[in-house]
Amino acid sequence: MPRAPSAPTRRAVLGGAAAAALARPALGGAPPRVVVVGAGFGGATAARCLAAGGVDTALVEAAPRYVACPGSNEVVAGLRGIEAQTFGYDALGRAGFRLVRATADAVDPAARRVRLGDGTELPYDRLILSPGIDLRFDALPGYDARAAEAMPHAWKAGEQTVLLARQLAAMPEGGTVVLSVPANPYRCPPGPYERASLIAHFLKTRKPRAKLILLDAKDTFSKQKLFEAAWARLYKDVLEVVPLAAGGQVSEVDPAGMVVRTDFAEVKADVACIIPPQRAGRIAAQAGCADRSGWCPIDPATFESRLVPGIHVVGDAAIAGAMPKSAFSANAQAKVCAQAVIDLLAGREPENPRLINTCWSLVAPGDGISIAGVFRPTDGLLADVPGAGGISPLDAPDAVRAQEAAYGESWYRTITRDVFG
Amino acid sequence: MRAAPAALALLAALVGAAGAGAAEMRAPPGASSCTGCHARGAAMGALAGRPEAEIVAALAAFRTGARPATLMNRIAKGFDAAESRAIAIWFASQGAR
């Protein structure tokens, strides 16, 4: 929680939207400043929208380039290279805001400053955090950062993705792959099941007699009927699914022995992809924005933190109710959040927003399925608009499946161009 | 108290220069999400600069199922006729980008 304000002017800033716009001149007449932390789909979008709205904006990002997660399961399965996922930040440096290539070490919500890795401090009137996820290396016995070198999570795209792809390519024929999926919530709800599908496709076409065991800490999941229908049709000799009710929750891993344990069984793996539990990126918790769940409760209209006034949280780190943790969501949330920030700085009431999410998954190359949703603030959370949204039809003809795959790829190309290009 | 004149001056500036204009320019609810897909060069086609009537008719046909879709039928049901029209007016007013 923020510390008590120390001066009347600061109290005015903390006091609310109109006050923020009014108090600023007393501090020297400078226009309001917004700092955005994290140049992924959420943060880079927010910074672009703020700059387009004429707001003095700084975007803080330490990574030299961005490696996108959507589509990265295709890299895992050898269907495309990691370069298709990789985007430089040069264009963001020319997008009308200041791109600060540094780590955001700490936020001081009372002083409204972000401290960077080199000790520099960036003052802000409003702060938008889009830090994505941190993998919890304290949640699954045996699974820490070092274990991830033997048993990749590949849940943050980059070296881990390439590592998992290499391990699969090098696996002996007749080998066993284990894929472990955590309980909710986590980044990209349908992602593990797309990964299972594409790894199964890889094994079926490239590794005769190999099998994939999916160990799941849940019994229900996103697009379940569509995935299960595809698995029965395409991969019944390759893929074994063990849900929670059948003992699928992984209780321990042994990376040295390549053993994955549940309460009921022990599996010796040739390749093990362990997707561990997750939480909001570190800076969100440091700033006081994460609750005991590790994620960040927000106002569903403005994405302002429920815990720390003046800080907004978008993307995977936020608790966005029915809206899933996806790149599409992060992009949509960032646009709404940026407009709300512009409105609040100008002393205007933000509008009651409506947001859309769409996620495509491949069950095989060229064979796509989707889930869509329309969301609005309801009882303090983002809730589905009744009657809208849902998954692709179970009986869609091949041509529609091919079109969904093509639309998913088209979305990826345009969103990455608009955000990073 | 020293702050008051400066504050009022800024408020006037905001309302005069950006405030009222920006309020009118705000995208209607839902519209900002559309451009996640409907961008220049996308297979789904851009919406900016399309005629209002065309967008209104397309959303209505997606809602009823009269127009085949992979997923726009599911999304269009999240907006009623008035909301769809506001989105259509917004995109029609944008130059093609």
Side-chain angles (χ1 to χ4, degrees), chain A residues 55-324:
Chain A
V55 177
D56 181 346
T57 304
L59 173 61
V60 181
E61 174 60 58
R65 64 192 71 84
Y66 189 70
V67 188
C69 279
S72 66
N73 283 328
E74 291 168 76
V75 179
V76 167
L79 297 167
R80 66 198 211 183
I82 194 72
E83 65 279 357
Q85 307 299 123
T86 307
F87 301 89
Y89 282 133
D90 291 352
L92 284 178
R94 302 185 297 266
F97 53 83
R98 197 150 63 90
L99 179 62
V100 180
R101 314 294 292 263
T103 309
D105 266 5
V107 176
D108 181 341
R112 299 212 169 197
R113 288 174 181 276
V114 178
R115 196 182 71 233
L116 305 179
D118 65 0
T120 310
E121 296 200 323
L122 294 181
Y124 64 82
D125 292 276
R126 285 190 177 268
L127 172 64
I128 299 178
L129 297 179
S130 186
I133 59 161
D134 271 4
L135 299 160
R136 288 191 54 193
F137 287 123
D138 59 349
L140 176 61
Y143 198 71
D144 55 17
R146 189 145 173 271
E149 292 168 23
M151 298 176 152
H153 51 78
W155 216 240
K156 286 181 155 189
E159 289 174 11
Q160 278 275 307
T161 314
V162 174
L163 176 62
L164 180 57
R166 282 204 194 115
Q167 289 184 350
L168 285 167
M171 189 182 76
E173 288 189 11
T176 298
V177 182
V178 173
L179 172 58
S180 161
V181 186
N184 291 323
Y186 59 90
R187 161 180 283 179
C188 191
Y193 308 97
E194 178 186 63
R195 179 168 294 181
S197 303
L198 294 182
I199 290 176
H201 171 81
F202 172 80
L203 299 180
K204 185 177 164 181
T205 53
R206 303 274 297 279
K207 300 284 176 183
R209 300 183 310 284
K211 64 176 178 176
L212 168 62
I213 302 172
L214 191 158
L215 299 174
D216 200 341
K218 307 183 293 303
D219 288 317
T220 59
F221 55 87
S222 178
K223 307 180 201 171
Q224 184 163 4
K225 285 181 179 164
L226 291 164
F227 278 116
E228 288 177 345
W231 294 342
R233 179 165 51 90
L234 298 167
Y235 307 126
K236 63 177 186 297
D237 298 328
V238 181
L239 174 62
E240 178 191 344
V241 179
V242 186
L244 175 66
Q249 180 161 27
V250 172
S251 54
E252 187 182 14
V253 299
D254 170 10
M258 286 299 286
V259 171
V260 180
R261 294 193 183 91
T262 67
D263 286 344
F264 306 95
E266 187 172 289
V267 185
K268 178 83 172 69
D270 294 287
V271 174
C273 171
I274 307 294
I275 305 169
Q278 298 149 32
R279 62 183 160 223
R282 184 197 63 85
I283 194 74
Q286 187 284 324
C289 295
D291 68 14
R292 283 161 61 188
S293 73
W295 305 98
C296 303
I298 44 104
D299 177 285
T302 63
F303 291 85
E304 186 164 8
S305 169
R306 295 273 194 207
L307 303 178
V308 189
I311 304 182
H312 302 247
V313 183
V314 297
D316 291 351
I319 299 173
M323 213 172 175

Side-chain angles (χ1 to χ4, degrees), chain A residues 21-22 25-26 328 331-332 335-336 339 343 345-346 348-356 358 360 370-372 374 385-393 400 403-404 407 410-411 414-415 417-418, chain B residues 2-3 6-8 10-11 14-15 18-23 25-44 69-71 73-80 83:
Chain A
L22 294 172
F328 198 116
N331 175 257
K335 292 169 182 169
V336 166
Q339 183 61 55
D343 290 340
L345 290 172
R348 281 193 304 267
E349 179 79 10
E351 276 191 311
N352 193 32
R354 193 78 55 97
L355 298 97
I356 299 170
T358 303
W360 290 269
S370 64
I371 186 166
V374 184
V385 173
I391 62 173
S392 309
V400 169
Q403 194 172 31
E404 292 232 74
Y407 279 151
S410 178
W411 165 78
T414 52
I415 198 81
R417 181 200 65 201
D418 285 0
Chain B
R2 195 164 54 82
L8 290 173
L10 177 79
L11 183 63
L14 284 170
V15 170
M25 282 165 54
R26 283 193 292 192
S32 67
S33 286
C34 302
T35 50
C37 289
H38 293 283
R40 178 177 47 84
M44 302 81 157
T70 56
L71 59 77
N73 50 347
R74 293 174 255 158
I75 289 173
K77 286 176 186 145
F79 300 89
D80 65 21
E83 292 163 342

